[in-house]
Amino acid sequence: MSRNERWEVGERPSLDVRVPVGMIEVYAGAAGVVELLVDATDADDFEIFKTGDRISVRHPSRWRMRGRSSRVVAHVPVGTDVEVSSTSGEIRLIGQLGAVRLHSASGDLEVGDAARIDVTTASGGLTCGAISGDANISSVSGDCSVRLVGARLEATLTSGTLRVVECDGDVAVGSTSGDVRIAQCLGSDISVRSISGDVRVGLPSGIRVEAEISTLSGRASMPKPAPASDGRDRRAVRLNLRTVSGDIRVERTS
């Protein structure tokens, strides 16, 4: 059974979806309208309501979840804030969104571009495009891949690998049993602590690095110091990299 809803919204809409199982898809598109499709057994029992420009979708709590699933598809304006909570569901957010908050116990997460993200996941992978603001990630048993973080990156991972192509702000990462690789770090305070995992960080030329690097059971490698340029003061970068069992590698990216 399918259920379709459509609302007109203003310039700052938001979407809040709380569905325990199934597929949740959000597509950013035309301004001024939110369209919603619910495809599920007894779809009419879903609680769907609009408060101002906030659209909320709730799975009926009286359902017994065993053997049941659902598909929720939303088309929202570009820049919409999105919050999704799911116990065991796949979440796909496509296009340019606003602030994104995701909570998942089991299921892969895909985020296109967003103003900022706050993600908590267990037993599921995360892939993100360009995040223009802060990124806060907490993951257990899942790999995380992010193309761009435009501001501060905070991440806590257990049994999973973190890969970031570029981070323009400060970095604070803690990892247990997983590698951390940040190909380009442009912030001024970079801290990565790992237990049983390799750490690889890329830094630009033309900076002055104040480094604290240590590993109990691994190797550490640093690039050769760059030659002095024109005598001007270089930007200071605090670099704190620590591993218990893993290699540390710092690279010069430009």
Side-chain angles (χ1 to χ4, degrees):
M1 180 181 293
S2 295
R3 177 179 175 183
N4 293 275
E5 302 282 354
R6 185 180 187 276
W7 303 269
E8 294 185 356
V9 293
E11 296 181 356
R12 297 294 300 275
S14 61
L15 175 69
D16 182 6
V17 180
R18 301 174 189 266
V19 177
V21 298
M23 172 69 79
I24 299 143
E25 302 171 59
V26 179
Y27 298 90
V33 174
V34 171
E35 296 180 338
L36 184 71
L37 165 68
V38 176
D39 188 1
T41 304
D42 298 334
D44 287 340
D45 289 339
F46 272 66
E47 300 170 0
I48 302 173
F49 49 94
K50 179 176 182 288
T51 305
D53 282 339
R54 183 176 181 84
I55 310 299
S56 300
V57 182
R58 299 288 186 272
H59 196 286
S61 59
R62 62 181 177 275
W63 276 21
R64 293 184 177 180
M65 298 308 304
R66 182 176 298 177
R68 293 185 181 271
S69 186
S70 61
R71 181 170 180 250
V72 176
V73 181
H75 293 266
V76 301
V78 168
T80 296
D81 294 340
V82 175
E83 182 170 358
V84 179
S85 179
S86 178
T87 303
S88 177
E90 305 289 323
I91 301 173
R92 297 182 66 219
L93 311 183
I94 308 301
Q96 179 66 53
L97 296 167
V100 169
R101 295 175 61 89
L102 304 180
H103 305 269
S104 174
S106 175
D108 290 336
L109 313 177
E110 178 184 351
V111 180
D113 300 337
R116 62 181 184 273
I117 61 167
D118 190 331
V119 176
T120 302
T121 178
S123 187
L126 168 68
T127 60
C128 293
I131 309 304
S132 59
D134 294 341
N136 193 323
I137 300 169
S138 177
S139 174
V140 178
S141 187
D143 294 339
C144 299
S145 177
V146 184
R147 181 167 62 85
L148 170 68
V149 178
R152 180 176 175 82
L153 168 65
E154 293 190 24
T156 303
L157 299 97
T158 302
S159 187
T161 296
L162 174 66
R163 294 184 178 89
V164 179
V165 177
E166 180 179 327
C167 180
D168 294 344
D170 294 342
V171 173
V173 174
S175 175
T176 301
S177 188
D179 297 340
V180 176
R181 179 174 181 179
I182 307 175
Q184 174 84 304
C185 291
L186 301 178
S188 298
D189 193 342
I190 300 162
S191 175
V192 180
R193 298 171 182 255
S194 175
I195 300 174
S196 186
D198 295 339
V199 173
R200 188 172 177 178
V201 171
L203 299 176
S205 298
I207 60 175
R208 175 168 50 87
V209 179
E210 301 171 356
E212 293 184 19
I213 296 176
S214 67
T215 175
L216 292 182
S217 176
R219 296 176 299 176
S221 63
M222 293 277 291
K224 294 181 180 180
S229 53
D230 54 6
R232 292 183 300 179
D233 289 340
R234 294 177 294 174
R235 179 173 64 92
V237 173
R238 291 185 297 274
L239 182 67
N240 190 324
L241 308 179
R242 300 178 184 273
T243 68
V244 173
S245 176
D247 295 339
I248 296 175
R249 183 175 180 181
V250 180
E251 301 173 323
R252 184 177 297 114
T253 59
S254 60

